[in-house]
Amino acid sequence: MNQRDVRSWWRVAHLTTVHHPFDPRIFHKQLASLRDAGFDAHLVAPHERTERVRGIPIHGLPRPQNRAHRLALQPRVFRTARALDAALYHIHDPELLPLAGLLKTRTGAQIVYDMHENYRSKGAVLGRTLRGLERWAFRWLDHVLIAEASYRSILNGYAVPHTYIANYFRPRGDERSEEAAPIRTSPTRLLYTGTLSARRGLHTMTDLAAMVKRQGRPETINLVGICRYEHQRARAEAQIRNEGLHTVMERVGWDTYVLPSAMPPHRRRADMGLALFEQHPNHAGSIPTKFYEYLHYGLPLICSDIPLWRCFVERHGCGAVVPPGDPAAVLDVLDEWQAHPERYRRCAENARAAASQYRWAEMGERLTKLYRDVLRGSAHRAPPTG
């Protein structure tokens, strides 16, 4: 086998037109693990330039403004992916599945599809269309990854092999070696990290800030993430401006994507993590990734009372649940923790103790083993010897 054959067998490419190029699951977890395992791992994604970042080549695409623009990009995605001549293509968006089918037909490459989004929130027509695309592709995909155990039900009746790759937390270098911060006896600093939206509790958190302000309480709320919905940002901005909430609420990102590398300082300063999501079918079967991030920093959770989330919090004794859309219930939890600091301390200690169960290392090993198994079973190229 010549040098090109060996290199090509290890070449894999992740394709997305929806996700940010530095999406934590795609870039900082999956591609980083594949790079570390010796794969020639590439990313084709919207990015301002083609460059190599941390040893991973990113093949930049124009940033689409809407779904129509994304669909118009598909011929370019196909040409870029085809030129890479990868042995395996890893697809992150259902709208790219027809393109992936064409890649499979033209190249014989293995196709892995990653289900890490639930499409119920997209509306009845679009949601069913995307789910229909997935079910059509299940007949010919080589493997499916699921980010939530609840997604297994979507695969019922299809023979496609699948593997559970949970979206656990991967500490960066400085996060792996740092010592745990001392637990404060008077917790007042509340943190939310991740995408902001009404369904993810944006307006509940601004109402919470308003109550804190009116009652002259000591708490502060730090929102770190992007809100992609301009009308929702405008509503929140109006409330913040009219009620003077800037004294109790800090916003980082807001209309700009916040890189994962910018998150650690905010987590280190916080006393607890928020996830005050609305009741919605999308949330019923999924554990938010932020739960694992909060646990790593010893942050007790205050989250909406969604059955799966309640089980998680009660199993680990790492926080409290409140009715969705009820900021007064959050203040009740804070009052209890401030009146009984030993209860807060116990939740923080339990969070730290539980964190080790949700680290990415195990999932990264599972992913790289899966890639090797899929490629060794492939008729596209034989694996290198020796």
Side-chain angles (χ1 to χ4, degrees), residues 159-193:
V160 60
H162 66 275
T163 299
Y164 176 46
I165 303 288
N167 216 8
Y168 290 167
F169 181 62
R170 179 174 185 166
R172 299 168 62 86
D174 58 340
E175 294 173 303
R176 286 192 289 268
S177 59
E178 68 182 8
E179 293 183 4
I183 298 172
R184 282 161 48 93
T185 57
S186 180
T188 59
R189 298 172 299 195
L190 286 70
L191 173 69
Y192 175 90
T193 59

Side-chain angles (χ1 to χ4, degrees), residues 90-168:
H90 187 135
I91 309 302
H92 290 277
D93 318 325
E95 62 195 49
L96 291 181
L97 284 169
L99 179 152
L102 185 60
L103 278 171
K104 185 177 180 68
T105 300
R106 295 286 181 85
T107 70
Q110 300 293 286
I111 305 295
V112 170
Y113 175 56
D114 200 337
M115 295 178 65
H116 50 104
E117 300 287 343
N118 195 317
Y119 299 106
R120 292 179 179 175
S121 64
K122 302 297 185 183
V125 174
L126 180 57
R128 289 173 182 169
T129 300
L130 295 174
R131 191 63 73 214
L133 268 177
E134 290 175 335
R135 287 173 172 153
W136 162 73
F138 290 159
R139 297 178 174 87
W140 53 262
L141 286 168
D142 296 292
H143 211 93
V144 172
L145 306 186
I146 56 173
E148 300 286 348
S150 62
Y151 293 177
R152 287 194 176 99
S153 63
I154 300 171
L155 298 168
N156 286 346
Y158 297 90
V160 60
H162 66 275
T163 299
Y164 176 46
I165 303 288
N167 216 8
Y168 290 167

Side-chain angles (χ1 to χ4, degrees), residues 145-347:
L145 306 186
I146 56 173
E148 300 286 348
S150 62
Y151 293 177
R152 287 194 176 99
S153 63
I154 300 171
L155 298 168
N156 286 346
Y158 297 90
V160 60
H162 66 275
T163 299
Y164 176 46
I165 303 288
N167 216 8
Y168 290 167
F169 181 62
R170 179 174 185 166
R172 299 168 62 86
D174 58 340
E175 294 173 303
R176 286 192 289 268
S177 59
E178 68 182 8
E179 293 183 4
I183 298 172
R184 282 161 48 93
T185 57
S186 180
T188 59
R189 298 172 299 195
L190 286 70
L191 173 69
Y192 175 90
T193 59
T195 301
L196 289 154
S197 69
R199 281 185 177 148
R200 291 170 178 257
L202 173 58
H203 302 314
T204 300
M205 290 186 288
T206 53
D207 289 344
L208 174 62
M211 296 180 72
V212 167
K213 171 80 171 178
R214 286 196 299 268
Q215 297 177 25
R217 296 178 63 102
E219 290 86 9
T220 59
I221 303 171
N222 189 9
L223 308 182
V224 184
I226 184 173
C227 179
R228 294 187 171 90
Y229 303 100
E230 186 174 351
H231 65 288
Q232 294 183 12
R233 288 202 311 270
R235 172 182 164 182
E237 287 166 356
Q239 184 178 8
I240 292 167
R241 182 176 58 254
N242 294 339
E243 301 187 41
L245 302 185
H246 60 277
T247 59
V248 297
M249 174 174 278
E250 179 183 1
R251 288 167 290 154
V252 178
W254 196 238
D255 58 356
T256 305
Y257 183 80
V258 180
L259 292 172
S261 58
M263 294 289 190
H266 300 283
R267 298 185 187 124
R268 293 187 189 106
R269 288 195 296 267
D271 296 320
M272 64 206 79
L274 299 177
L276 306 178
F277 288 24
E278 292 183 356
Q279 196 82 31
H280 189 272
N282 270 16
H283 307 146
S286 302
I287 296 292
T289 305
K290 62 181 82 325
F291 280 24
Y292 311 134
E293 298 163 353
Y294 292 157
L295 293 186
H296 178 79
Y297 284 85
L299 303 180
L301 314 178
I302 301 180
C303 65
S304 295
D305 191 359
I306 293 169
L308 182 64
W309 300 10
R310 172 182 280 275
C311 289
F312 184 95
V313 170
E314 291 180 346
R315 180 167 68 251
H316 297 300
C318 61
V321 296
V322 296
D326 189 351
V330 178
L331 297 184
D332 290 341
V333 172
L334 298 176
D335 287 340
E336 178 186 353
W337 283 350
Q338 288 161 11
H340 303 280
E342 73 282 358
R343 296 178 186 175
Y344 168 78
R345 172 175 287 275
R346 190 179 310 119
C347 288

